[in-house]
Amino acid sequence: MSETLNSSGALHFEKPTVQYNETGWGPCEMPDTFKDVPYQPFSKSDRLGKICDWTNTSNNDKKYQNKYASSFGTGNQYAYYHEEDETTFHLVDTARVQKPPHQRGRFNARNLRNARNARGRNARGGATPHMTTLGGKNSKARDNRRGVNRKFGGRNAPPKMRESSVAVRSDWSSIEEMDFPRLMKLSLPNIKEGEDIVTCGTLEYYDKVYDRINVKNEKALQKIDRIVHTVTTTDDPIIRRLSKTMGNVFATDAILATIMCSTRSNYSWDIVVDKIGNKIFMDKRDNTEFDLLTVNETSVEPPTDDDSSPNSPRNLAIEATFINHNFSQQVLKTGPNEPKYKFQEPNPFITEDEDIEVASVGYRYKKWNLGSDIVLVARCEHDGVLVSPNNEPQFLSIKALNEWDSKLANGVEWRQKLDTQRGAVLANELRNNACKLAKWTVQAVLAGSDQLKLGYVSRINPRDPSRHVILGTQQFKPHEFATQINLSMDNAWGILRCIIDIVMKQKDGRYLIMKDPNKPMIRLYDIPDNTFESDDGEDGEGDDGEAFQPVYAYGSGNK
């Protein structure tokens, strides 16, 4: 209501206009005063931001990026659009903002302490700057050796795809896929020690002089001309004879160890399985790398050089096998007048036309009862024998670990650590060669060896793979060593029994067990019966008609 003066000077009251809202409360129309004015809903709980802040850093607001957002949602009523060119604008103060101490990195305080300690050592004539944790002129070379790829944020390059041990053909049908996590949960406890059926061969006695070898008193590795037989299961005349009267699963200790330790393997391997009635024969293929020892298979950075390099996986495997066979024969007393330990029967693989001396080896054909009418018969091996203090023979499994290049292998140098920190050297080998050491342990347990002898053999020159020296030896009891490397024989028997049960359910025929080259998985294939059979009998036959595998001669000129 407003009051005004009329022409006569008297007060005049005007009634205000009142809008009546029939459907609600408040004005019905927008007043002219507030027309074309933008409106943004606002809550009293909303936080007010800053128009401009030249000292603020982007890192401070990452945790609360929306702390100034409206509770009604975002709106563009007050959005500012600048269309002028800002290329001529320059900030006057370009000094770098110093972060507070609590924002300078998680490990910065520790690095500062290391730097202060390094400066103190330098002042006292200690370590040089490039030896500190802060890096230095050798840090780049060290990163390159360890495979650090700076382009991808310090992460390693993508792993190289490995090739399969055998090409899978189109006419093969996949039956089963067994992944490692499931296999590692299997267990078959209470398997008793194997019972001896037949013992063959001749063993030489271990020379205890090699127990006193150390880094300062090293001994050159010799090349010994001796034949090492690598006969598969079905080519073994003793197993053929035994298969007629006992057992329904037949294999060798190398094949069994490969299956039992499959969950520790990275490289691809394969085993041929023949099912005839209720009997299973496990064989390796002819002329394959099954008998070669792997090198740094389980390392974080396994060897990846091409075949032309002496440090390629295949050349390292040949070198390791060469070292292992020569070492196992060199540490024995090989003189013509030295005593020898003879088993009941002679070596079944020696033929009359062989003019080269045969390696010292003793064969035990043993059987195990795995339950459910499954009787396993396998050929196991000893490498040597030792006289115990009570004049009883102790049978040995003799193996050799080899050092090729500690810098490329990202390991410890044996010549510096072997005498003083042998545990660190062994731990590094267990990490890089977990599968190989586990297979050696399983073979020693299956054969019933009293001791597992390990030799440490290194190259004289890291660039020369043909000359080696023995730096030391070490011995273990197989069962105790299995516990030390976390190898469960119950799980090993469980894996073997699982594969046997799967094959037993199949029809008669030929099958292939193969480790996937790039996945932690074992695959079982049904393959034609004539797969992998040689067209001509070039392997030769023995006196009783059995065909034999080729043998390997490890000595001078043979590798």
Side-chain angles (χ1 to χ4, degrees):
M1 183 179 64
S2 61
E3 53 184 9
T4 59
L5 294 174
N6 55 16
S7 56
S8 60
L11 291 175
H12 176 70
F13 294 93
E14 295 182 0
K15 296 180 180 179
T17 304
V18 179
Q19 296 182 358
Y20 175 67
N21 190 347
E22 298 180 353
T23 58
W25 60 274
C28 298
E29 297 179 0
M30 176 68 68
D32 297 338
T33 309
F34 302 107
K35 284 185 178 181
D36 301 327
V37 175
Y39 172 72
Q40 172 82 22
F42 177 76
S43 174
K44 292 183 179 180
S45 62
D46 289 345
R47 303 179 64 178
L48 295 178
K50 301 176 182 178
I51 298 176
C52 183
D53 187 357
W54 299 106
T55 62
N56 188 25
T57 58
S58 58
N59 293 331
N60 293 340
D61 291 332
K62 284 184 177 179
K63 189 175 180 181
Y64 304 101
Q65 292 182 354
N66 298 324
K67 65 180 179 180
Y68 296 127
S70 172
S71 59
F72 292 95
T74 59
N76 57 357
Q77 289 87 346
Y78 293 97
Y80 173 72
Y81 300 98
H82 187 74
E83 298 179 355
E84 296 181 5
D85 184 16
E86 290 190 355
T87 57
T88 59
F89 174 79
H90 296 281
L91 188 64
V92 177
D93 186 6
T94 58
R96 186 174 182 179
V97 180
Q98 185 69 22
K99 293 182 180 180
H102 65 277
Q103 295 178 359
R104 294 180 186 174
R106 181 179 176 184
F107 305 103
N108 195 57
R110 187 177 66 184
N111 291 338
L112 290 177
R113 286 197 302 269
N114 293 336
R116 288 195 296 268
N117 295 336
R119 287 195 294 269
R121 288 195 299 268
N122 295 337
R124 296 188 299 267
T128 55
H130 69 271
M131 296 177 62
T132 64
T133 58
L134 298 180
K137 63 180 181 180
N138 290 344
S139 61
K140 184 176 181 180
R142 183 168 61 252
D143 291 343
N144 293 335
R145 287 200 306 269
R146 296 179 180 177
V148 176
N149 193 335
R150 297 181 182 275
K151 184 178 180 181
F152 296 97
R155 298 182 180 179
N156 293 337
K160 183 179 179 181
M161 301 299 289
R162 291 183 289 265
E163 294 183 359
S164 176
S165 61
V166 59
V168 179
R169 303 178 186 175
S170 58
D171 57 343
W172 295 359
S173 59
S174 178
I175 298 177
E176 191 76 24
E177 293 182 352
M178 296 160 277
D179 58 278
F180 286 0
R182 288 191 298 168
L183 292 177
M184 294 173 66
K185 297 178 181 179
L186 300 176
S187 179
L188 184 62
N190 303 324
I191 299 299
K192 298 180 180 180
E193 293 290 334
E195 177 185 348
D196 288 347
I197 306 174
V198 179
T199 56
C200 307
T202 302
L203 288 174
E204 295 173 338
Y205 284 86
Y206 178 77
D207 191 351
K208 295 184 179 180
V209 173
Y210 288 88
D211 288 340
R212 297 189 290 271
I213 290 180
N214 52 38
V215 174
K216 297 180 180 179
N217 184 28
E218 62 186 26
K219 193 175 184 64
L221 180 70
Q222 302 174 5
K223 298 179 180 179
I224 301 176
D225 290 319
R226 285 188 169 185
I227 290 181
V228 179
H229 295 92
T230 57
V231 184
T232 188
T233 306
T234 53
D235 291 343
D236 190 328
I238 304 297
I239 289 184
R240 290 192 175 189
R241 186 181 73 194
L242 296 176
S243 64
K244 300 177 181 178
T245 57
M246 63 181 65
N248 51 8
V249 179
F250 305 90
T252 64
D253 59 346
I255 293 175
L256 294 179
T258 301
I259 295 176
M260 289 178 167
C261 303
S262 57
T263 55
R264 301 190 181 209
S265 62
N266 289 336
Y267 293 160
S268 179
W269 48 263
D270 59 270
I271 295 172
V272 180
V273 181
D274 288 302
K275 182 177 183 297
I276 305 173
N278 65 337
K279 295 183 178 181
I280 293 177
F281 295 86
M282 297 182 177
D283 285 291
K284 62 177 183 178
R285 292 187 295 114
D286 297 342
N287 304 321
T288 62
E289 300 179 1
F290 184 86
D291 294 304
L292 297 181
L293 301 176
T294 60
V295 177
N296 283 35
E297 176 182 359
T298 57
S299 173
V300 177
E301 300 172 8
T304 57
D305 292 349
D306 55 5
D307 291 340
S308 61
S309 170
N311 297 328
S312 67
R314 187 178 187 278
N315 290 335
L316 287 174
I318 295 175
E319 179 187 356
T321 309
F322 170 79
I323 292 173
N324 188 74
H325 284 289
N326 282 282
F327 174 80
S328 64
Q329 302 304 307
Q330 181 177 342
V331 297
L332 303 176
K333 298 178 181 179
T334 58
N337 299 326
E338 295 291 343
K340 297 182 179 180
Y341 186 93
K342 295 184 178 180
F343 284 109
Q344 298 175 354
E345 299 185 14
N347 191 322
F349 310 122
I350 298 179
T351 58
E352 297 178 356
D353 56 347
E354 289 182 355
D355 56 351
I356 304 178
E357 188 179 1
V358 178
S360 167
V361 62
Y363 299 107
R364 286 185 184 271
Y365 294 84
K366 308 175 72 173
K367 69 175 182 179
W368 293 265
N369 186 357
L370 303 185
S372 301
D373 298 329
I374 295 179
V375 178
L376 170 67
V377 175
R379 183 189 75 228
C380 305
E381 298 181 7
H382 295 303
D383 298 313
V385 66
L386 182 68
V387 179
S388 64
N390 54 2
N391 293 327
E392 291 184 359
Q394 287 189 341
F395 299 100
L396 309 178
S397 294
I398 305 174
K399 308 297 178 183
L401 295 167
N402 65 295
E403 180 188 37
W404 47 288
D405 193 332
S406 60
K407 295 181 180 179
L408 296 178
N410 195 19
V412 296
E413 293 189 15
W414 288 5
R415 287 175 173 82
Q416 296 182 1
K417 303 290 185 180
L418 193 58
D419 288 347
T420 58
Q421 300 181 16
R422 182 161 296 185
V425 175
L426 182 60
N428 186 72
E429 290 301 309
L430 289 173
R431 180 171 57 253
N432 294 337
N433 298 283
C435 183
K436 179 170 66 175
L437 282 165
K439 288 164 67 174
W440 286 347
T441 307
V442 168
Q443 288 178 261
V445 171
L446 293 177
S449 296
D450 298 290
Q451 291 184 15
L452 173 62
K453 286 275 187 180
L454 292 180
Y456 295 91
V457 182
S458 177
R459 292 178 182 177
I460 297 178
N461 187 329
R463 298 182 180 180
D464 185 4
S466 61
R467 297 186 303 154
H468 305 85
V469 291
I470 304 173
L471 300 179
T473 59
Q474 198 171 5
Q475 65 184 29
F476 303 92
K477 292 183 178 180
H479 284 282
E480 294 179 359
F481 190 65
T483 305
Q484 182 176 345
I485 65 175
N486 196 25
L487 173 63
S488 171
M489 289 303 299
D490 292 346
N491 174 249
W493 286 115
I495 294 174
L496 178 64
R497 174 65 188 276
C498 174
I499 294 178
I500 292 175
D501 290 343
I502 294 176
V503 176
M504 279 293 188
K505 297 178 182 179
Q506 309 303 322
K507 64 180 186 299
D508 289 1
R510 176 164 291 187
Y511 302 89
L512 183 78
I513 303 172
M514 188 187 74
K515 159 68 173 63
D516 190 283
N518 299 299
K519 296 180 181 180
M521 180 183 299
I522 295 178
R523 302 180 187 272
L524 179 64
Y525 292 96
D526 184 2
I527 62 178
D529 294 343
N530 59 352
T531 310
F532 307 129
E533 288 184 358
S534 57
D535 298 333
D536 52 347
E538 59 184 6
D539 292 342
E541 293 186 354
D543 297 336
D544 52 356
E546 281 85 0
F548 289 97
Q549 281 269 69
V551 298
Y552 298 131
Y554 289 92
S556 58
N558 296 288
K559 218 176 184 186

mmCIF file of all heavy atoms in Angstrom, residues 485-514:
data_model
loop_
_atom_site.group_PDB
_atom_site.id
_atom_site.type_symbol
_atom_site.label_atom_id
_atom_site.label_comp_id
_atom_site.label_asym_id
_atom_site.label_seq_id
_atom_site.Cartn_x
_atom_site.Cartn_y
_atom_site.Cartn_z
ATOM 1 N N ILE A 485 63.756 -77.671 0.716
ATOM 2 C CA ILE A 485 63.327 -76.944 -0.485
ATOM 3 C C ILE A 485 61.812 -76.956 -0.633
ATOM 4 O O ILE A 485 61.290 -76.632 -1.702
ATOM 5 C CB ILE A 485 63.993 -77.529 -1.742
ATOM 6 C CG1 ILE A 485 63.519 -78.964 -1.997
ATOM 7 C CG2 ILE A 485 65.500 -77.476 -1.633
ATOM 8 C CD1 ILE A 485 64.060 -79.552 -3.289
ATOM 9 N N ASN A 486 61.109 -77.355 0.435
ATOM 10 C CA ASN A 486 59.636 -77.345 0.441
ATOM 11 C C ASN A 486 59.063 -78.263 -0.643
ATOM 12 O O ASN A 486 58.112 -77.910 -1.344
ATOM 13 C CB ASN A 486 59.110 -75.912 0.267
ATOM 14 C CG ASN A 486 57.649 -75.786 0.658
ATOM 15 O OD1 ASN A 486 57.150 -76.578 1.461
ATOM 16 N ND2 ASN A 486 56.963 -74.813 0.089
ATOM 17 N N LEU A 487 59.654 -79.441 -0.769
ATOM 18 C CA LEU A 487 59.184 -80.438 -1.725
ATOM 19 C C LEU A 487 58.422 -81.516 -0.965
ATOM 20 O O LEU A 487 58.990 -82.211 -0.126
ATOM 21 C CB LEU A 487 60.360 -81.041 -2.485
ATOM 22 C CG LEU A 487 60.048 -82.222 -3.413
ATOM 23 C CD1 LEU A 487 59.118 -81.798 -4.538
ATOM 24 C CD2 LEU A 487 61.334 -82.821 -3.964
ATOM 25 N N SER A 488 57.148 -81.642 -1.254
ATOM 26 C CA SER A 488 56.298 -82.622 -0.585
ATOM 27 C C SER A 488 56.181 -83.860 -1.454
ATOM 28 O O SER A 488 55.659 -83.800 -2.571
ATOM 29 C CB SER A 488 54.905 -82.026 -0.310
ATOM 30 O OG SER A 488 54.012 -83.017 0.146
ATOM 31 N N MET A 489 56.671 -84.991 -0.947
ATOM 32 C CA MET A 489 56.543 -86.239 -1.699
ATOM 33 C C MET A 489 55.094 -86.698 -1.754
ATOM 34 O O MET A 489 54.692 -87.366 -2.713
ATOM 35 C CB MET A 489 57.421 -87.312 -1.069
ATOM 36 C CG MET A 489 58.925 -87.106 -1.268
ATOM 37 S SD MET A 489 59.403 -86.988 -3.020
ATOM 38 C CE MET A 489 58.872 -88.594 -3.640
ATOM 39 N N ASP A 490 54.301 -86.350 -0.736
ATOM 40 C CA ASP A 490 52.873 -86.696 -0.795
ATOM 41 C C ASP A 490 52.202 -86.003 -1.971
ATOM 42 O O ASP A 490 51.386 -86.599 -2.680
ATOM 43 C CB ASP A 490 52.185 -86.293 0.513
ATOM 44 C CG ASP A 490 52.642 -87.141 1.689
ATOM 45 O OD1 ASP A 490 53.271 -88.196 1.447
ATOM 46 O OD2 ASP A 490 52.370 -86.751 2.842
ATOM 47 N N ASN A 491 52.537 -84.729 -2.187
ATOM 48 C CA ASN A 491 51.990 -84.021 -3.346
ATOM 49 C C ASN A 491 52.536 -84.578 -4.644
ATOM 50 O O ASN A 491 51.804 -84.691 -5.645
ATOM 51 C CB ASN A 491 52.327 -82.535 -3.232
ATOM 52 C CG ASN A 491 51.925 -81.740 -4.455
ATOM 53 O OD1 ASN A 491 52.772 -81.257 -5.212
ATOM 54 N ND2 ASN A 491 50.628 -81.595 -4.691
ATOM 55 N N ALA A 492 53.827 -84.970 -4.658
ATOM 56 C CA ALA A 492 54.414 -85.550 -5.869
ATOM 57 C C ALA A 492 53.715 -86.861 -6.246
ATOM 58 O O ALA A 492 53.383 -87.078 -7.426
ATOM 59 C CB ALA A 492 55.908 -85.779 -5.652
ATOM 60 N N TRP A 493 53.483 -87.709 -5.264
ATOM 61 C CA TRP A 493 52.753 -88.956 -5.550
ATOM 62 C C TRP A 493 51.310 -88.664 -5.959
ATOM 63 O O TRP A 493 50.734 -89.360 -6.803
ATOM 64 C CB TRP A 493 52.773 -89.862 -4.329
ATOM 65 C CG TRP A 493 54.076 -90.539 -4.050
ATOM 66 C CD1 TRP A 493 54.890 -90.354 -2.967
ATOM 67 C CD2 TRP A 493 54.730 -91.517 -4.871
ATOM 68 N NE1 TRP A 493 56.006 -91.138 -3.059
ATOM 69 C CE2 TRP A 493 55.929 -91.878 -4.210
ATOM 70 C CE3 TRP A 493 54.418 -92.113 -6.089
ATOM 71 C CZ2 TRP A 493 56.822 -92.816 -4.739
ATOM 72 C CZ3 TRP A 493 55.300 -93.050 -6.614
ATOM 73 C CH2 TRP A 493 56.484 -93.388 -5.948
ATOM 74 N N GLY A 494 50.711 -87.627 -5.377
ATOM 75 C CA GLY A 494 49.335 -87.280 -5.742
ATOM 76 C C GLY A 494 49.219 -86.832 -7.187
ATOM 77 O O GLY A 494 48.251 -87.184 -7.885
ATOM 78 N N ILE A 495 50.194 -86.039 -7.665
ATOM 79 C CA ILE A 495 50.173 -85.600 -9.068
ATOM 80 C C ILE A 495 50.308 -86.801 -10.004
ATOM 81 O O ILE A 495 49.583 -86.920 -10.995
ATOM 82 C CB ILE A 495 51.302 -84.577 -9.303
ATOM 83 C CG1 ILE A 495 51.034 -83.294 -8.510
ATOM 84 C CG2 ILE A 495 51.433 -84.259 -10.787
ATOM 85 C CD1 ILE A 495 52.172 -82.296 -8.574
ATOM 86 N N LEU A 496 51.242 -87.703 -9.670
ATOM 87 C CA LEU A 496 51.427 -88.894 -10.516
ATOM 88 C C LEU A 496 50.175 -89.757 -10.526
ATOM 89 O O LEU A 496 49.735 -90.218 -11.592
ATOM 90 C CB LEU A 496 52.623 -89.687 -10.002
ATOM 91 C CG LEU A 496 52.932 -90.984 -10.755
ATOM 92 C CD1 LEU A 496 53.327 -90.695 -12.194
ATOM 93 C CD2 LEU A 496 54.020 -91.774 -10.040
ATOM 94 N N ARG A 497 49.588 -89.967 -9.367
ATOM 95 C CA ARG A 497 48.388 -90.811 -9.282
ATOM 96 C C ARG A 497 47.221 -90.181 -10.045
ATOM 97 O O ARG A 497 46.434 -90.878 -10.692
ATOM 98 C CB ARG A 497 48.025 -91.026 -7.816
ATOM 99 C CG ARG A 497 46.719 -91.751 -7.584
ATOM 100 C CD ARG A 497 46.732 -93.193 -8.092
ATOM 101 N NE ARG A 497 45.409 -93.764 -8.006
ATOM 102 C CZ ARG A 497 44.911 -94.323 -6.881
ATOM 103 N NH1 ARG A 497 45.666 -94.393 -5.786
ATOM 104 N NH2 ARG A 497 43.701 -94.825 -6.867
ATOM 105 N N CYS A 498 47.096 -88.856 -10.005
ATOM 106 C CA CYS A 498 46.019 -88.169 -10.730
ATOM 107 C C CYS A 498 46.137 -88.411 -12.232
ATOM 108 O O CYS A 498 45.147 -88.723 -12.901
ATOM 109 C CB CYS A 498 46.056 -86.677 -10.419
ATOM 110 S SG CYS A 498 44.898 -85.679 -11.359
ATOM 111 N N ILE A 499 47.350 -88.290 -12.778
ATOM 112 C CA ILE A 499 47.540 -88.497 -14.214
ATOM 113 C C ILE A 499 47.305 -89.959 -14.579
ATOM 114 O O ILE A 499 46.705 -90.273 -15.622
ATOM 115 C CB ILE A 499 48.945 -88.029 -14.613
ATOM 116 C CG1 ILE A 499 49.048 -86.509 -14.430
ATOM 117 C CG2 ILE A 499 49.268 -88.410 -16.053
ATOM 118 C CD1 ILE A 499 50.416 -85.940 -14.743
ATOM 119 N N ILE A 500 47.760 -90.881 -13.721
ATOM 120 C CA ILE A 500 47.537 -92.308 -13.997
ATOM 121 C C ILE A 500 46.052 -92.617 -14.026
ATOM 122 O O ILE A 500 45.569 -93.350 -14.910
ATOM 123 C CB ILE A 500 48.275 -93.160 -12.948
ATOM 124 C CG1 ILE A 500 49.791 -93.033 -13.123
ATOM 125 C CG2 ILE A 500 47.851 -94.621 -13.049
ATOM 126 C CD1 ILE A 500 50.590 -93.741 -12.044
ATOM 127 N N ASP A 501 45.300 -92.063 -13.073
ATOM 128 C CA ASP A 501 43.851 -92.330 -13.040
ATOM 129 C C ASP A 501 43.156 -91.801 -14.285
ATOM 130 O O ASP A 501 42.235 -92.441 -14.816
ATOM 131 C CB ASP A 501 43.239 -91.697 -11.791
ATOM 132 C CG ASP A 501 43.664 -92.413 -10.512
ATOM 133 O OD1 ASP A 501 44.155 -93.554 -10.622
ATOM 134 O OD2 ASP A 501 43.517 -91.828 -9.424
ATOM 135 N N ILE A 502 43.581 -90.625 -14.759
ATOM 136 C CA ILE A 502 42.950 -90.070 -15.965
ATOM 137 C C ILE A 502 43.242 -90.938 -17.174
ATOM 138 O O ILE A 502 42.351 -91.219 -17.996
ATOM 139 C CB ILE A 502 43.438 -88.627 -16.195
ATOM 140 C CG1 ILE A 502 42.944 -87.713 -15.066
ATOM 141 C CG2 ILE A 502 42.958 -88.102 -17.544
ATOM 142 C CD1 ILE A 502 43.469 -86.301 -15.160
ATOM 143 N N VAL A 503 44.484 -91.411 -17.310
ATOM 144 C CA VAL A 503 44.835 -92.254 -18.456
ATOM 145 C C VAL A 503 44.145 -93.606 -18.363
ATOM 146 O O VAL A 503 43.722 -94.175 -19.386
ATOM 147 C CB VAL A 503 46.361 -92.408 -18.546
ATOM 148 C CG1 VAL A 503 46.741 -93.363 -19.679
ATOM 149 C CG2 VAL A 503 47.020 -91.054 -18.764
ATOM 150 N N MET A 504 44.018 -94.146 -17.156
ATOM 151 C CA MET A 504 43.377 -95.450 -16.990
ATOM 152 C C MET A 504 41.927 -95.440 -17.454
ATOM 153 O O MET A 504 41.390 -96.471 -17.874
ATOM 154 C CB MET A 504 43.450 -95.873 -15.519
ATOM 155 C CG MET A 504 44.782 -96.481 -15.115
ATOM 156 S SD MET A 504 45.069 -98.090 -15.920
ATOM 157 C CE MET A 504 46.557 -98.608 -15.062
ATOM 158 N N LYS A 505 41.270 -94.288 -17.385
ATOM 159 C CA LYS A 505 39.869 -94.198 -17.804
ATOM 160 C C LYS A 505 39.704 -94.124 -19.323
ATOM 161 O O LYS A 505 38.580 -94.219 -19.822
ATOM 162 C CB LYS A 505 39.221 -92.970 -17.164
ATOM 163 C CG LYS A 505 39.160 -93.025 -15.644
ATOM 164 C CD LYS A 505 38.559 -91.752 -15.079
ATOM 165 C CE LYS A 505 38.546 -91.771 -13.557
ATOM 166 N NZ LYS A 505 37.987 -90.503 -12.989
ATOM 167 N N GLN A 506 40.805 -93.912 -20.040
ATOM 168 C CA GLN A 506 40.719 -93.770 -21.491
ATOM 169 C C GLN A 506 40.759 -95.145 -22.167
ATOM 170 O O GLN A 506 41.127 -96.148 -21.564
ATOM 171 C CB GLN A 506 41.884 -92.910 -22.006
ATOM 172 C CG GLN A 506 42.057 -91.596 -21.277
ATOM 173 C CD GLN A 506 40.822 -90.722 -21.311
ATOM 174 O OE1 GLN A 506 40.122 -90.657 -22.325
ATOM 175 N NE2 GLN A 506 40.532 -90.029 -20.204
ATOM 176 N N LYS A 507 40.412 -95.131 -23.431
ATOM 177 C CA LYS A 507 40.481 -96.372 -24.221
ATOM 178 C C LYS A 507 41.931 -96.670 -24.569
ATOM 179 O O LYS A 507 42.817 -95.822 -24.427
ATOM 180 C CB LYS A 507 39.656 -96.218 -25.487
ATOM 181 C CG LYS A 507 40.148 -95.148 -26.448
ATOM 182 C CD LYS A 507 39.269 -95.063 -27.682
ATOM 183 C CE LYS A 507 39.846 -94.084 -28.703
ATOM 184 N NZ LYS A 507 39.946 -92.716 -28.200
ATOM 185 N N ASP A 508 42.186 -97.883 -25.034
ATOM 186 C CA ASP A 508 43.555 -98.245 -25.400
ATOM 187 C C ASP A 508 44.034 -97.370 -26.549
ATOM 188 O O ASP A 508 43.288 -97.053 -27.477
ATOM 189 C CB ASP A 508 43.614 -99.726 -25.809
ATOM 190 C CG ASP A 508 43.440 -100.649 -24.616
ATOM 191 O OD1 ASP A 508 43.265 -100.132 -23.499
ATOM 192 O OD2 ASP A 508 43.464 -101.877 -24.800
ATOM 193 N N GLY A 509 45.297 -96.966 -26.473
ATOM 194 C CA GLY A 509 45.842 -96.115 -27.527
ATOM 195 C C GLY A 509 47.056 -95.372 -27.016
ATOM 196 O O GLY A 509 47.630 -95.691 -25.964
ATOM 197 N N ARG A 510 47.450 -94.353 -27.765
ATOM 198 C CA ARG A 510 48.630 -93.549 -27.436
ATOM 199 C C ARG A 510 48.190 -92.143 -27.040
ATOM 200 O O ARG A 510 47.312 -91.553 -27.688
ATOM 201 C CB ARG A 510 49.592 -93.511 -28.615
ATOM 202 C CG ARG A 510 50.805 -92.625 -28.413
ATOM 203 C CD ARG A 510 51.899 -92.915 -29.412
ATOM 204 N NE ARG A 510 52.510 -94.226 -29.163
ATOM 205 C CZ ARG A 510 53.567 -94.686 -29.798
ATOM 206 N NH1 ARG A 510 54.152 -93.951 -30.746
ATOM 207 N NH2 ARG A 510 54.076 -95.870 -29.507
ATOM 208 N N TYR A 511 48.833 -91.615 -26.011
ATOM 209 C CA TYR A 511 48.496 -90.297 -25.485
ATOM 210 C C TYR A 511 49.782 -89.499 -25.274
ATOM 211 O O TYR A 511 50.880 -90.061 -25.239
ATOM 212 C CB TYR A 511 47.711 -90.417 -24.174
ATOM 213 C CG TYR A 511 46.430 -91.208 -24.326
ATOM 214 C CD1 TYR A 511 46.429 -92.595 -24.160
ATOM 215 C CD2 TYR A 511 45.231 -90.580 -24.656
ATOM 216 C CE1 TYR A 511 45.262 -93.326 -24.316
ATOM 217 C CE2 TYR A 511 44.063 -91.311 -24.817
ATOM 218 C CZ TYR A 511 44.081 -92.683 -24.652
ATOM 219 O OH TYR A 511 42.944 -93.408 -24.824
ATOM 220 N N LEU A 512 49.619 -88.209 -25.136
ATOM 221 C CA LEU A 512 50.763 -87.319 -24.938
ATOM 222 C C LEU A 512 50.470 -86.379 -23.775
ATOM 223 O O LEU A 512 49.441 -85.692 -23.763
ATOM 224 C CB LEU A 512 51.043 -86.497 -26.209
ATOM 225 C CG LEU A 512 52.270 -85.584 -26.123
ATOM 226 C CD1 LEU A 512 53.536 -86.419 -26.306
ATOM 227 C CD2 LEU A 512 52.222 -84.478 -27.167
ATOM 228 N N ILE A 513 51.381 -86.378 -22.803
ATOM 229 C CA ILE A 513 51.322 -85.422 -21.705
ATOM 230 C C ILE A 513 52.291 -84.291 -22.037
ATOM 231 O O ILE A 513 53.478 -84.540 -22.267
ATOM 232 C CB ILE A 513 51.718 -86.075 -20.372
ATOM 233 C CG1 ILE A 513 50.828 -87.283 -20.084
ATOM 234 C CG2 ILE A 513 51.634 -85.072 -19.233
ATOM 235 C CD1 ILE A 513 51.287 -88.094 -18.895
ATOM 236 N N MET A 514 51.805 -83.068 -22.087
ATOM 237 C CA MET A 514 52.648 -81.944 -22.484
ATOM 238 C C MET A 514 52.446 -80.773 -21.540
ATOM 239 O O MET A 514 51.311 -80.423 -21.204
ATOM 240 C CB MET A 514 52.341 -81.505 -23.924
ATOM 241 C CG MET A 514 53.306 -80.465 -24.463
ATOM 242 S SD MET A 514 52.845 -79.810 -26.078
ATOM 243 C CE MET A 514 51.478 -78.756 -25.613
#
